[in-house]
Amino acid sequence: HLKIIFRPQSPTPPIYGARLVSHILADPELTQEWRKDVRVMADRIISMRTRLRDGLLTNGSQKNWDHITNQIGMFCFSGLTAPQVERLKKEFSIYLTSNGRISMAGVTSKNVDYLAAAMHEVTKE
């Protein structure tokens, strides 16, 4: 129902994004600033991946977590099983997809150590 109401109000919202991108890429100064911003975001995610892997090892994990830093992008397939993910939700209030996919954009310098400790706890055997 909301879609029916909203559609006439904003005929083609995707065009705004395309116009914005076109504007940025047409201006060399804006393009340079955008590339810099993207690099900052990518470096932050890479840093969080490294801190997560190192945190797991610091917590005493004997598992190989190199796949966390070998992957690229905003999402990380952790290798956690559905029961381990369920424990993260119930015991630590950490939410990720049931197949163990973590949104690295949500991992911050303030929560990465907590995440590492929780992941270690649910993967101990």
Side-chain angles (χ1 to χ4, degrees):
H1 291 87
L2 194 56
K3 182 177 169 186
I4 293 169
I5 295 169
F6 181 73
R7 246 330 180 187
Q9 304 299 321
S10 181
T12 47
I15 194 70
Y16 300 125
R19 286 182 182 155
L20 180 62
V21 169
S22 178
H23 178 75
I24 290 170
L25 296 179
D27 181 325
E29 192 174 314
L30 288 176
T31 300
Q32 183 179 4
E33 183 178 346
W34 172 76
R35 288 182 188 279
K36 180 181 162 197
D37 290 345
V38 169
R39 183 78 257 162
V40 168
M41 289 186 296
D43 287 347
R44 190 196 74 76
I45 289 173
I46 291 167
S47 171
M48 290 303 101
R49 286 178 178 277
T50 301
R51 284 193 55 191
L52 178 57
R53 184 202 59 211
D54 293 350
L56 283 156
L57 299 176
T58 298
N59 276 285
S61 180
Q62 299 298 309
K63 298 186 179 302
N64 182 343
W65 295 101
D66 287 344
H67 59 280
I68 291 173
T69 51
N70 290 341
Q71 297 172 36
I72 59 171
M74 289 181 51
F75 298 98
C76 171
F77 285 96
S78 65
L80 297 177
T81 64
Q84 290 167 334
V85 169
E86 192 61 30
R87 281 191 63 201
L88 282 178
K89 289 177 190 175
K90 287 184 177 178
E91 297 174 29
F92 301 96
S93 298
I94 295 173
Y95 299 89
L96 52 149
T97 61
S98 60
N99 66 356
R101 187 180 71 162
I102 299 170
S103 172
M104 293 306 297
V107 180
T108 69
S109 58
K110 294 181 179 176
N111 66 21
V112 67
D113 295 331
Y114 179 76
L115 175 60
M119 286 176 63
H120 172 60
E121 188 61 35
V122 302
T123 57
K124 287 196 281 189
E125 293 179 8

